[in-house]
Amino acid sequence: MLESFDLKLKSKQLLEIAKIGVEKAIETDEATATDWINQQLENLGIDLKNGGENKN
């Protein structure tokens, strides 16, 4: 049950990162937005190079 709450919170965080990332890409450029998104994912402990699995 706790894992379910954790996953729900993480999905909300990912959606917010995606929305802000698109805004940044529109306002600045894709490279800046991509760097920001990758930094945010790293802060959440998500490693896209490893299939999106948590580093924790």
Side-chain angles (χ1 to χ4, degrees), residues 34-55:
T34 300
D35 289 343
W36 182 85
I37 290 170
N38 288 333
Q39 179 186 17
Q40 297 305 306
L41 294 176
E42 186 176 319
N43 290 344
L44 287 178
I46 296 173
D47 183 7
L48 291 182
K49 295 175 185 140
N50 193 20
E53 294 185 20
N54 287 342
K55 293 179 184 177

Side-chain angles (χ1 to χ4, degrees), residues 18-32:
K19 290 192 298 188
I20 294 171
V22 169
E23 291 173 2
K24 286 186 178 296
I26 292 168
E27 293 170 359
T28 59
D29 58 65
E30 185 178 341
T32 301

Side-chain angles (χ1 to χ4, degrees), residues 1-21:
M1 189 163 177
L2 291 176
E3 184 179 359
S4 174
F5 290 124
D6 183 47
L7 292 173
K8 185 175 180 179
L9 174 62
K10 193 161 281 193
S11 69
K12 286 182 179 185
Q13 291 171 322
L14 290 171
L15 179 59
E16 191 64 23
I17 289 169
K19 290 192 298 188
I20 294 171

